[in-house]
Amino acid sequence: MYYEERKQLTKFVKNMFERKNTNTGGGNITVKVSDEHILATPTLASKEYLWDIDPEQILVMDMDENVIEGRGKKTREIYMHYACYEENPEIGCVIHAHSQQALVYATLGLDMPNVTEGTQKLGEIKCLPPHKAYSKELASEIRKHVREDQCYPKAYILAGHGILMVGDTLVNTYDNVDRLEYNAYVAIVKTIFEKLGVEGIRDTNVK
């Protein structure tokens, strides 16, 4: 089932790891491929396979969280993915990652300043209250914000944990994960420069 879509997903997860958009500590991606099914990366794809997985390892799951096809087990963090799809039917992809630069904000429990042109469409980048990584409490927290926001693309910082990005397609959602990571780096360096008193053109927005 959905072989070409599963093959595409393996390409993206490998790139995600190689670009340090996630690490061996975890992360997961789901893609809504129909009203009945989503594709999901299996648990331990990071730790055991360094995200070098084949299409047969990508799980096909129904909307009741049952695995229909695929070699592997579902992640314990699957609850927050389903929460996104249930609260906004327009969402077609959910990416959770442990992005290197963004983890600075997650660890400090800070909202991320949205400073780059390429991330303006994400709006406010909020840090959500801390909850255990794979808990239903975390899923409930995410559910609340997705329900209130009703928009995509949208990024959330998960306190002490990582990031969550929702979007319409795998290609677009991953693109925004990469943009978010660049934004995190620029925001960190910008803060340092400002503390050092480095001056430049204060308003760089194109009129």
Side-chain angles (χ1 to χ4, degrees):
M1 300 174 71
Y2 309 107
Y3 185 81
E4 290 303 319
E5 292 87 347
R6 291 158 85 180
K7 183 179 178 181
Q8 181 190 42
L9 183 49
T10 63
K11 172 186 173 182
F12 275 79
V13 296
K14 194 171 190 300
N15 185 270
M16 184 168 72
F17 178 66
E18 290 173 346
R19 290 183 61 81
K20 298 187 186 300
N21 281 320
T22 200
N23 58 14
T24 57
N28 27 75
I29 301 180
T30 57
V31 181
K32 188 176 180 181
V33 287
S34 72
D35 290 337
E36 293 80 31
H37 299 119
I38 67 167
L39 304 182
T41 54
T43 189
L44 300 177
S46 51
K47 182 178 179 180
E48 292 189 0
Y49 297 96
L50 304 179
W51 289 106
D52 189 9
I53 57 178
D54 58 55
E56 288 75 15
Q57 288 175 274
I58 299 294
L59 308 179
V60 179
M61 300 182 64
D62 66 20
M63 301 313 289
D64 294 317
E65 302 177 18
N66 300 307
V67 176
I68 305 301
E69 190 173 290
R71 191 174 74 249
K73 296 180 179 179
K74 63 183 178 183
T75 173
R76 296 181 296 179
E77 296 181 311
I78 199 68
Y79 305 120
M80 62 183 178
H81 291 258
Y82 277 93
C84 296
Y85 295 123
E86 289 166 3
E87 293 303 327
N88 186 348
E90 297 299 314
I91 290 173
C93 180
V94 179
I95 298 180
H96 164 53
H98 302 170
S99 306
Q100 187 178 59
Q101 307 290 337
L103 272 172
V104 173
Y105 292 95
T107 301
L108 291 170
L110 293 174
D111 295 344
M112 184 188 297
N114 192 343
V115 297
T116 64
E117 184 180 30
T119 51
Q120 290 310 297
K121 58 187 172 183
L122 298 177
E124 182 183 7
I125 306 169
K126 299 179 286 188
C127 183
L128 306 187
H131 295 283
K132 194 169 184 177
Y134 48 84
S135 66
K136 290 188 177 181
E137 288 76 18
L138 176 59
S140 295
E141 185 71 39
I142 291 167
R143 180 184 296 277
K144 178 179 72 174
H145 288 277
V146 171
R147 181 190 306 130
E148 291 172 355
D149 294 330
Q150 285 298 306
C151 64
Y152 66 84
K154 192 67 180 175
Y156 302 98
I157 307 298
L158 308 181
H161 186 181
I163 67 156
L164 187 81
M165 184 74 70
V166 299
D168 55 352
T169 67
L170 171 61
V171 173
N172 291 337
T173 308
Y174 180 71
D175 173 57
N176 284 310
V177 167
D178 206 48
R179 289 172 186 243
L180 183 73
E181 183 66 350
Y182 267 76
N183 180 79
Y185 169 76
V186 173
I188 291 166
V189 176
K190 180 175 182 288
T191 300
I192 294 171
F193 275 29
E194 289 174 343
K195 293 295 182 182
L196 291 173
V198 177
E199 295 187 2
I201 302 172
R202 288 299 178 185
D203 185 4
T204 56
N205 294 316
V206 178
K207 298 297 189 292

